[in-house]
Amino acid sequence: MLLIFYLLLIGLQGYDGCKLEKSRTLSSLSTYLGGSVLLPCYCTDLNTTPGKFTWQIFNKYKWEEVSNESGQYRGRVQLFNSHSPGNLSLLISHLTEEDGGDYTCDSKRDHVIIRLSVQTPPDCSLDNKETQLHITARPGGSVLLPCYCTDLQTKPHTFSWRRLYTTWREIWREGQSSIRYQVFNSHSPGNLSLLISHLTEEDGGEYSCELRAEYRDVTLTVGGLTPTTTTAPTTTTTAPTTTTTAPTTTALSTAVVKVPQSLSTSSTASSQTPAEHGAVTPAERSPQSLPFVPFALVTVILLHMVVGVVYYTKRNKGPARVHYRTADGDGAVSLE
């Protein structure tokens, strides 16, 4: 009833300043403890400067002003009208349960009412938990090791980053400050990622984002990004040179039939090997290459014929006389 009465009183007041968007309406917002929330309030013309405006919360049956100098909001609220005159929105950071309630943006001409609900965030559950991620970075640079809650609006009660040396050692915990290690969950509660700056090769290794019984492992390699040109080994294969010398055997020389002296054309031929003469092997010879074989056979036959004729003549005509010439003259010898 008091809220309705207050709205009626505002409606009866005179009008000055800007006209608000969604004036005289009630909207609702819900957020989590420890986070931030923006309560929207705008003039329809952002270049309009209201004569005066205030933010108030209905607390214990009365309206109380909300400002950086007031009670529970000291140092936790921020306005934006200094940059944009028609933007009267209110930002509240580091929310507590007491921040929940009904707020009004009052420009003395219009007003909007926003009902804020501040809830306890659900437990964070790590995204891609119990998995291994491999990341490569350059020395001297920075690298972000990712770790997120499945709901980025949830804020874990506690979490830490560890690194494996001979054993797992904690390198960062919430509330700690470090020059080289930085986490961004102050802006996004569910973002637990770790930023490492000024990398060295010694930073390479195994890291783990740990939240209660959940974890997300990351393997970091620092260096090794410069392309390495691998030249395939050149193998020169030299075909083995095999010198085959035809064996000189005694069988070859014995297989050559001795040629009569009358057929010899050179006195040095006997001192040369068949290969130097270009002689062919016995298997390559043809009958035409041995003309003396039928000649010897004919000679033997003729000798037999002559002997036969002489024998026949001696038997039938008596002793034969053979004439021969001596130095003194002709002579004759009788053959019995």
Side-chain angles (χ1 to χ4, degrees), residues 10-32:
I10 293 177
L12 296 175
Q13 292 178 357
Y15 293 96
D16 59 357
C18 73
K19 179 175 179 57
L20 299 179
E21 288 187 0
K22 299 181 180 180
S23 63
R24 304 182 185 183
T25 59
L26 175 65
S27 57
S28 299
L29 289 176
S30 179
T31 187
Y32 295 110

Side-chain angles (χ1 to χ4, degrees), residues 96-169:
T96 65
E97 290 183 358
E98 290 75 16
D99 292 330
D102 292 332
Y103 291 80
T104 180
C105 173
D106 186 0
S107 69
K108 303 302 180 183
R109 177 182 179 183
D110 275 329
H111 69 274
V112 295
I113 298 177
I114 301 173
R115 180 164 293 167
L116 176 64
S117 174
V118 180
Q119 302 175 359
T120 301
D123 290 338
C124 170
S125 179
L126 292 182
D127 188 31
N128 295 319
K129 59 186 175 181
E130 300 182 8
T131 59
Q132 186 84 22
L133 179 65
H134 297 269
I135 297 178
T136 302
R138 294 181 182 275
S142 301
V143 65
L144 184 69
L145 307 185
C147 184
Y148 303 95
C149 297
T150 52
D151 182 356
L152 290 178
Q153 296 302 316
T154 61
K155 180 178 177 61
H157 297 292
T158 181
F159 73 99
S160 63
W161 276 92
R162 297 178 181 269
R163 182 181 175 185
L164 179 63
Y165 294 94
T166 53
T167 59
W168 286 100
R169 298 181 185 177

